[in-house]
Amino acid sequence: KLASQVRAVEWIETGGELGALLLESRLVKDLAPASNRRLRKSPGVYCLRLVATEGALRPVVEPLEASDLESGTEAYGPFRTERDAWRAFEGKAREAGLCLKVAGRETGGGSCFAYQLGRCRGACVGKEPLLLHDARVRLALASLRLRAWPFSGPVGIRERANDGPGTLLHVIDRWQHLGTARDESEVTEVLRAGTERPFDPDGYRIVAKCLERLPPRDLVPLARTERDAS
């Protein structure tokens, strides 16, 4: 059905996989194609935080703030909707045998439903110490913890140019792709322009995955311009 609707094909060459992934993420959000919903722009971005309530840690879902990407901040995500955040937490809770009643996701008297099925260690009835349950909550969510931006400023990620010798430089700051440059003057222009785009969870995941395997020689530290630093 999709193929029968095609009337023309256009393509854009990129220097490599990173450039292709970043461009795809941006174009899908800008053009909103009907058949690609996974990378669509979302009205908001959310994270999970843990708040001490009644002697135990309970998750709350709140909008993601820039400060959540600073070193030492404990937040989990990112998520496109509040529903996605709760779904992720409850999935991790089931996997780890956590108590949804202690977590504030179940109400009523007595034990939680999972305890009756033998899938909760009994924090809801005093069988498991709440401090131990708190530790297991953090452990269960560890893979979802938001990473702090590991650099003091923006960085450039080198990638081979597709139309001749030389390299492109993808300018990244606080996990967000600001633009791609070919030389120092273009880098300065990208940094000076900054970005008005909201936090992009797809861009965050693309960049985080890239940095895990990026050779140090392909990473270029950059300095924020006066306007960007403000």
Side-chain angles (χ1 to χ4, degrees), residues 22-35:
L22 291 171
L23 180 61
E24 178 193 22
S25 179
R26 179 174 63 80
L27 289 178
V28 169
K29 290 172 177 60
D30 289 347
L31 302 177
S35 298

Side-chain angles (χ1 to χ4, degrees), residues 150-167:
F151 308 105
S152 59
V155 298
I157 297 178
R158 288 194 182 101
E159 197 167 45
R160 178 185 58 82
N162 60 47
D163 54 357
T167 58

Side-chain angles (χ1 to χ4, degrees), residues 42-61:
S42 56
V45 183
Y46 298 87
C47 68
L48 279 167
R49 295 191 181 91
L50 297 176
V51 178
T53 305
E54 298 180 3
L57 290 178
R58 286 187 175 180
V60 296
V61 176

Side-chain angles (χ1 to χ4, degrees), residues 2-15:
L2 181 62
S4 68
Q5 297 172 354
V6 174
R7 297 295 178 269
V9 176
E10 299 178 9
W11 67 90
I12 302 173
E13 292 188 25
T14 63

Side-chain angles (χ1 to χ4, degrees), residues 16-210:
E17 181 184 17
L18 177 61
L21 291 171
L22 291 171
L23 180 61
E24 178 193 22
S25 179
R26 179 174 63 80
L27 289 178
V28 169
K29 290 172 177 60
D30 289 347
L31 302 177
S35 298
N36 190 325
R37 299 184 180 277
R38 184 176 62 86
L39 297 177
R40 284 282 192 93
K41 183 187 299 183
S42 56
V45 183
Y46 298 87
C47 68
L48 279 167
R49 295 191 181 91
L50 297 176
V51 178
T53 305
E54 298 180 3
L57 290 178
R58 286 187 175 180
V60 296
V61 176
E62 296 178 351
L64 179 68
E65 306 290 346
S67 59
D68 293 317
L69 301 175
E70 296 176 357
S71 179
T73 301
E74 183 181 11
Y76 304 87
F79 305 102
R80 294 178 180 278
T81 65
E82 294 184 60
R83 182 181 178 184
D84 287 345
W86 287 124
R87 185 180 298 164
F89 173 79
E90 291 172 4
K92 293 291 185 182
R94 284 191 292 271
E95 291 174 7
L98 299 175
C99 181
L100 290 178
K101 187 171 183 181
V102 170
R105 300 301 294 163
E106 287 185 17
T107 58
S111 66
C112 70
F113 183 66
Y115 181 74
Q116 299 171 37
L117 300 177
R119 298 173 184 171
C120 165
R121 299 185 185 179
C124 48
V125 294
K127 192 172 179 180
E128 179 183 31
L130 292 180
L131 285 177
L132 177 57
H133 188 266
D134 289 348
R136 294 200 306 112
V137 169
R138 285 195 165 101
L139 185 62
L141 295 178
S143 63
L144 298 178
R145 182 158 182 171
L146 284 165
R147 304 184 190 184
W149 179 239
F151 308 105
S152 59
V155 298
I157 297 178
R158 288 194 182 101
E159 197 167 45
R160 178 185 58 82
N162 60 47
D163 54 357
T167 58
L168 301 173
L169 202 66
H170 301 295
V171 181
I172 313 290
D173 192 14
R174 302 181 186 97
W175 303 111
Q176 299 301 288
H177 180 222
L178 304 186
T180 299
R182 292 179 175 273
D183 53 40
E184 187 174 343
S185 63
E186 289 187 4
V187 169
T188 301
E189 184 178 337
V190 168
L191 288 171
R192 188 168 295 154
T195 179
E196 299 299 325
R197 295 177 179 273
F199 181 84
D200 177 11
D202 300 306
Y204 164 82
R205 295 187 182 97
I206 291 168
V207 173
K209 186 174 182 179
C210 171

